[in-house]
Structures are given as structure tokens and as C-alpha cells.
Amino acid sequence: MAEHRTMQRDALLDAARSLLSEGGTEALTFPALAERTGLARSSVYEYFRSRAAVVEELCAVDFPVWAAEVEAAMERAATPEDKVEVYVRQQLELVGDRRHRAVVAISASELDAGAREKIRAAHGGLVAMIVEALGELGHEQPRLAAVLLQGVVDAAVRRTELGAAEDPAKIADAAVSMALSGVTPRH
């Protein structure tokens, strides 16, 4: 029975990912989740109290995967500059990956304070990875620089998601250029 519940919970999370990637947070409704999974709407409520609860669970499951992929790519980078470039490019590359589209949709959406706090904590882990590289570049305030750098990445992610006029590769190049010229300390 417990295994069956886990399977249903996973199916609901998978349906939530699809809905988020197709239509953003507006598309994530309990009737839509019920329809996608073949469960009764009342059954959906047995697993999740609210949309925010679905989002929080997705954050708990998906953010660590996203962060681990960014971290793995950064570990392969040789210099602090390379680490900064990989940090930016890897996040932008993950935007196109269906497993991570939910993360992007969640990040861009209006959520209640609890869900926002969880996202901030998860993003904090991501930002912590780049603080060290920025410190190695000689930054006096590497944590502040890291938060601002993540802002550049988030803006590039949104721009890519919107299907802006620019090619995603151009957006990535511009974000990397801004990150590298913007994180080089002035002496």
C-alpha cells in the first residue's frame, strides 16, 4: 500500500512538472492534476493540501538535482573564471530540460511565503557554490557578488523562457560576458 501511495505521489509530481512546463503556475490546478493522473480530485487532496504544497514538494525534489548538476559541471572547471562561466551556462542549459522546467516556472511565479522561503533556501545552496570562486577572483564581498550574479542568471533564464527575439545561445553569451566583466574586481 505504501508503495502504491509513493507511485501515485510521483505520478502527481510528474503531472505537476508537465503542467508547469506547459503553462506556468496558472496551469497547475487540482482538476488538471486529477485529469492527468486519472485520480479523483478528492484523492489529489489526500496527497497535497494546496498548490503551494505541490510546489514545495517539487522544490524539495527537483532543486537538489538542479544544484547537483551545476555543482558537478563547476567541479570540472579549472579556473575561477571558468567556474563562473560554467555556473551561468549550466543553469541556462538546464532551462530546456523538462525535469527542470518546473524549477524555472516555480522561480518565476507568485507563491506564498512558505514556498518562497524554501526556494530561497535552495537558491542559497546554488549561490554558495559560486561564492568561493568569486573569493578566489579577489572579490571583497563575494557573497554579495554571488547574489547579484544569480540575478543576472535569473534574468537570462526568464529571457530564454519567454522565447525572446534573441537566440538562447546569444542570451547565454551575454550573461557570461556580463558575469565575467561584472565580477572582475577593480583595483
Side-chain angles (χ1 to χ4, degrees):
M1 181 65 192
E3 194 177 313
H4 179 66
R5 283 191 67 80
T6 305
M7 280 171 58
Q8 287 195 328
R9 189 177 202 86
D10 289 348
L12 283 165
L13 288 175
D14 221 37
R17 280 184 198 98
S18 295
L19 290 164
L20 282 166
S21 70
E22 290 160 21
T25 42
E26 294 75 47
L28 180 60
T29 64
F30 277 31
L33 281 172
E35 191 182 321
R36 286 280 166 106
T37 54
L39 292 170
R41 203 181 308 181
S42 57
S43 299
V44 178
Y45 282 100
E46 286 175 33
Y47 292 91
F48 299 106
R49 296 178 321 285
S50 63
R51 279 180 0 148
V54 178
V55 165
E56 284 183 36
E57 180 89 8
L58 275 176
C59 289
V61 173
D62 290 1
F63 261 114
V65 177
W66 166 288
E69 290 186 28
V70 174
E71 190 169 23
M74 283 176 69
E75 280 170 6
R76 294 190 292 271
T79 66
E81 288 86 353
D82 289 346
K83 283 187 193 314
V84 170
E85 177 161 357
V86 165
Y87 180 80
V88 174
R89 288 194 187 280
Q90 187 66 26
Q91 288 189 67
L92 288 168
E93 223 169 87
L94 291 171
V95 172
D97 182 332
R98 196 187 143 274
R99 288 171 307 147
H100 297 301
R101 292 181 66 83
V103 172
V104 175
I106 289 164
S107 299
S109 68
E110 289 303 309
L111 297 167
D112 67 34
R116 269 204 311 274
E117 197 43 58
K118 282 210 167 70
I119 289 169
R120 254 199 301 278
H123 265 297
L126 210 52
V127 168
M129 289 178 210
I130 201 66
V131 171
E132 190 183 336
L134 295 173
E136 286 171 29
L137 283 173
H139 243 280
E140 284 171 28
Q141 291 185 289
R143 177 153 285 286
L144 173 60
V147 170
L148 296 174
L149 171 56
Q150 186 59 42
V152 169
V153 174
D154 292 343
V157 163
R158 276 194 301 278
R159 189 91 185 149
T160 304
E161 275 291 286
L162 288 170
E166 305 89 1
D167 175 36
K170 290 252 187 304
I171 296 172
D173 289 345
V176 167
S177 168
M178 183 172 283
L180 287 173
S181 57
V183 297
T184 307
R186 290 185 180 82
H187 293 294

